[in-house]
Amino acid sequence: MNEEIARNVVLVRAIETADQKREVLSDDDRLYASRSAKELAHWQASDSKSEVTADHFLQQRSEQILKRLAERTPAFAAFAKRRNGLKTLSISLPLLALLLGAGLDRITDPHRVDLLSAPLLLIIGWNVLVYAGLLIWACLPTERPGGAKSALLRRLSVGKSALPRKLPHALAAGLLGFMAEWAQLSAKLTAARLSRTVHLSSALFAVGAVLSLYMRGFLSQYSAGWESTFLDAAQVHAILSLLFMPAAALLQLPGFSLADIEALRFDQAPSVASGARWVHLYAATIFLLVVVPRLLLACLANWRARKLSTHFPLDLEQPYFRALNEKLLADSGGTLRVLPYSFTLDEARDKGLSVLATTLLGAQARLMLRPSTAYGEEAQEALRDTRLDDAAVSVTAVLFSLAATPEKENHGAFLDYLVRQSPRGIAVLIDESGYLERIGAQAGGKERIVERIALWQHFCHFHKAPATIVNLIDPSTRPLDGGAGLSVSAAA
């Protein structure tokens, strides 16, 4: 899923979540969008000769809903087309940096090359400090405080925070929620793009400074020299030797001696002939220490930005997306894998499970019934041949009998293992049919059933696997509406 699709999907989710009273999008609107998206997703997959994926479905559904909202509310259409100013900044800032660098000679003497030129030394020194700072920053913990940088990233991620006028209350609330969420989700992408822009701007500023040196040299005669109140010739020679060492070594540029430095004091006769040599030394040093590293950092940031933009990290295992994915599977079919615990199913209950699978995952649903785990058996041993991350399985469900009393050491340990090891979470089915047959007609039987259901629900909730009560003899007594009644634990 790329950035554009993810943005639309997150925007639709924010609006649907805020519109609990169906003021903006009715149930018919949502149902129509889902049905249309299913058809379009199937066509899209057919054209590309691939399987229907949640990405295809969510893309088509979000486009349908956004189109409908834009037709009904022109103010929303303007918001949907709104983009942040990062693209403009990524073009204008490097160009401005190049122009500023090219104008650097305006603040220096246009007729001499100062061996201790403050602007050129500042360019080199600042960039070396930046490299050291980046190295230290990379070694810091991943979770860092927000501050001004986070505020800047939010501003660059969503653009201006003002909303269009004349928006319905629910829609305005949804847009505010979207801006807050999108700023958080796209923070890494925005940071990569901002980093690319800053590094490129720094490189072009240095290029502009070097170009200004050479352009002025074509029009003026440079004299080379230096002057200092606190430094003598030996100290200046040491500083310049260290500064120009990379350029002299890599590009084979001519060196200089202490006598050369001593002869270039400005209080002596200016040296006109040596001006070009020092221009070349400074230009080569800036190229090696500023331009090349900054361009490499800009390329690295650009690679990160393109990767995040092409494969946007949106978690589709969240409850909202799971519910929509179940609707997609309701037409395309899916697999319900059932793991009974200390529960042997007869033919009637096996048919009841098939009915539940069809209700949850559509007419083409498949039931995968695994052998029952014996009471007290270790979960790791019992499930050693079961791939809990099998992509072909739509839902994995544990099946218990309501007649059993939940025990932490056995039922709880089994649930804890599955919750930890299942990447997509698990469902828990509690079959009440056997307990109903046994005590349903007895005096106080209904109250005991209610108490036992409450006990199991509390027990499963404690183990982070919400329970769903079913009746495998007569599934219609506990209807599950297309997955809406099936609770699934959070992904591990």
Side-chain angles (χ1 to χ4, degrees):
M1 182 180 295
N2 61 35
E3 176 193 4
E4 184 68 22
I5 297 173
R7 183 183 185 275
N8 291 340
V9 169
V10 174
L11 176 56
V12 169
R13 178 177 64 174
I15 294 172
E16 287 191 280
T17 302
D19 187 26
Q20 295 292 330
K21 297 181 180 179
R22 306 307 196 255
E23 297 174 2
V24 177
L25 290 169
S26 66
D27 287 329
D28 288 340
D29 291 333
R30 302 176 193 217
L31 182 60
Y32 174 80
S34 295
R35 288 176 176 173
S36 300
K38 289 174 188 175
E39 295 179 4
L40 292 171
H42 280 287
W43 290 343
Q44 184 178 359
S46 177
D47 288 342
S48 60
K49 297 181 180 179
S50 61
E51 295 291 331
V52 179
T53 64
D55 288 10
H56 293 151
F57 173 67
L58 292 172
Q59 174 188 357
Q60 299 296 340
R61 188 175 184 275
S62 62
E63 289 178 358
Q64 293 287 324
I65 290 179
L66 293 179
K67 181 179 179 181
R68 178 157 296 195
L69 288 174
E71 292 172 349
R72 293 175 179 173
T73 312
F76 173 78
F79 178 89
K81 295 178 181 178
R82 180 194 295 179
R83 292 294 181 268
N84 57 54
L86 194 56
K87 185 174 182 180
T88 301
L89 182 68
S90 65
I91 297 175
S92 59
L93 188 61
L95 290 177
L96 179 62
L98 179 64
L99 294 176
L100 290 175
L104 189 65
D105 64 332
R106 298 296 179 182
I107 62 173
T108 60
D109 190 334
H111 297 290
R112 77 179 192 182
V113 178
D114 192 346
L115 272 60
L116 299 177
S117 172
L120 298 180
L121 290 175
L122 184 60
I123 291 176
I124 297 171
W126 169 252
N127 281 274
V128 171
L129 286 176
V130 168
Y131 305 148
L134 290 175
L135 184 61
I136 295 173
W137 185 258
C139 298
L140 293 177
T142 303
E143 295 297 330
R144 303 174 180 121
K149 182 180 178 182
S150 295
L152 175 62
L153 291 180
R154 286 195 297 270
R155 180 69 175 83
L156 293 175
S157 295
V158 300
K160 59 182 181 180
S161 58
L163 292 179
R165 297 180 179 180
K166 299 180 181 180
L167 286 176
H169 175 74
L171 187 55
L175 297 186
L176 288 174
F178 160 74
M179 288 192 289
E181 184 178 12
W182 184 250
Q184 182 179 4
L185 291 174
S186 62
K188 290 185 178 180
L189 174 57
T190 304
R193 287 173 171 165
L194 182 60
S195 178
R196 176 186 62 193
T197 300
V198 170
H199 290 310
L200 182 59
S201 299
S202 298
L204 289 181
F205 181 82
V207 168
V210 171
L211 289 178
S212 72
L213 279 176
Y214 280 104
M215 293 302 295
R216 180 65 64 178
F218 281 112
L219 302 175
S220 303
Q221 178 68 52
Y222 279 132
S223 61
W226 64 277
E227 59 185 356
S228 174
T229 302
F230 302 105
L231 300 177
D232 58 26
Q235 292 171 323
V236 172
H237 178 266
I239 293 173
L240 295 181
S241 297
L242 179 63
L243 179 65
F244 296 139
M245 184 189 304
L250 294 177
L251 303 180
Q252 301 297 313
L253 295 178
F256 48 89
S257 64
L258 177 59
D260 293 333
I261 299 299
E262 182 66 40
L264 290 176
R265 282 181 179 271
F266 275 124
D267 56 2
Q268 301 181 20
S271 175
V272 177
S274 62
R277 178 175 66 170
W278 298 102
V279 170
H280 295 326
L281 282 170
Y282 260 114
T285 299
I286 290 176
F287 178 77
L288 290 176
L289 297 184
V290 180
V291 177
V292 171
R294 286 288 193 167
L295 288 179
L296 289 176
L297 289 171
C299 290
L300 177 62
N302 182 65
W303 173 80
R304 290 180 55 212
R306 290 178 65 87
K307 181 181 178 182
L308 290 171
S309 177
T310 305
H311 304 285
F312 194 88
L314 186 61
D315 182 12
L316 298 184
E317 293 299 324
Q318 298 177 15
Y320 171 87
F321 297 120
R322 282 193 188 183
L324 290 178
N325 195 35
E326 287 175 2
K327 293 179 181 179
L328 175 63
L329 292 173
D331 276 357
S332 60
T335 299
L336 172 64
R337 176 170 55 190
V338 179
L339 308 174
Y341 183 86
S342 187
F343 191 174
T344 301
L345 278 72
D346 54 21
E347 184 178 354
R349 289 178 173 82
D350 184 81
K351 290 181 179 179
L353 271 180
S354 297
V355 173
L356 288 180
T358 301
T359 302
L360 292 170
L361 303 176
Q364 304 300 319
R366 296 172 295 279
L367 175 65
M368 183 190 297
L369 182 61
R370 303 295 297 168
S372 178
T373 300
Y375 176 81
E377 186 178 1
E378 292 290 336
Q380 186 173 1
E381 179 65 23
L383 302 174
R384 64 181 183 276
D385 297 328
T386 302
R387 285 184 53 202
L388 296 176
D389 60 348
D390 191 347
V393 175
S394 306
V395 179
T396 296
V398 185
L399 178 62
F400 295 116
S401 172
L402 188 66
T405 302
E407 299 175 356
K408 179 180 179 181
E409 297 79 6
N410 297 297
H411 305 85
F414 193 71
L415 284 178
D416 289 341
Y417 175 81
L418 286 170
V419 169
R420 288 195 309 269
Q421 300 297 324
S422 300
R424 303 180 61 192
I426 61 166
V428 179
L429 302 177
I430 311 293
D431 176 38
E432 67 174 5
S433 61
Y435 201 49
L436 275 175
E437 289 177 349
R438 198 173 79 189
I439 69 167
Q442 298 178 9
K446 292 184 178 180
E447 290 76 9
R448 293 175 61 185
I449 291 172
V450 171
E451 291 176 359
R452 183 62 62 85
I453 289 175
L455 175 63
W456 266 105
Q457 289 177 332
H458 178 75
F459 177 82
C460 292
H461 179 75
F462 176 79
H463 289 279
K464 300 179 181 180
T468 301
I469 308 301
V470 297
N471 189 314
L472 296 184
I473 294 297
D474 185 7
S476 62
T477 61
R478 295 281 187 176
L480 299 178
D481 181 16
L486 184 65
S487 301
V488 180
S489 70

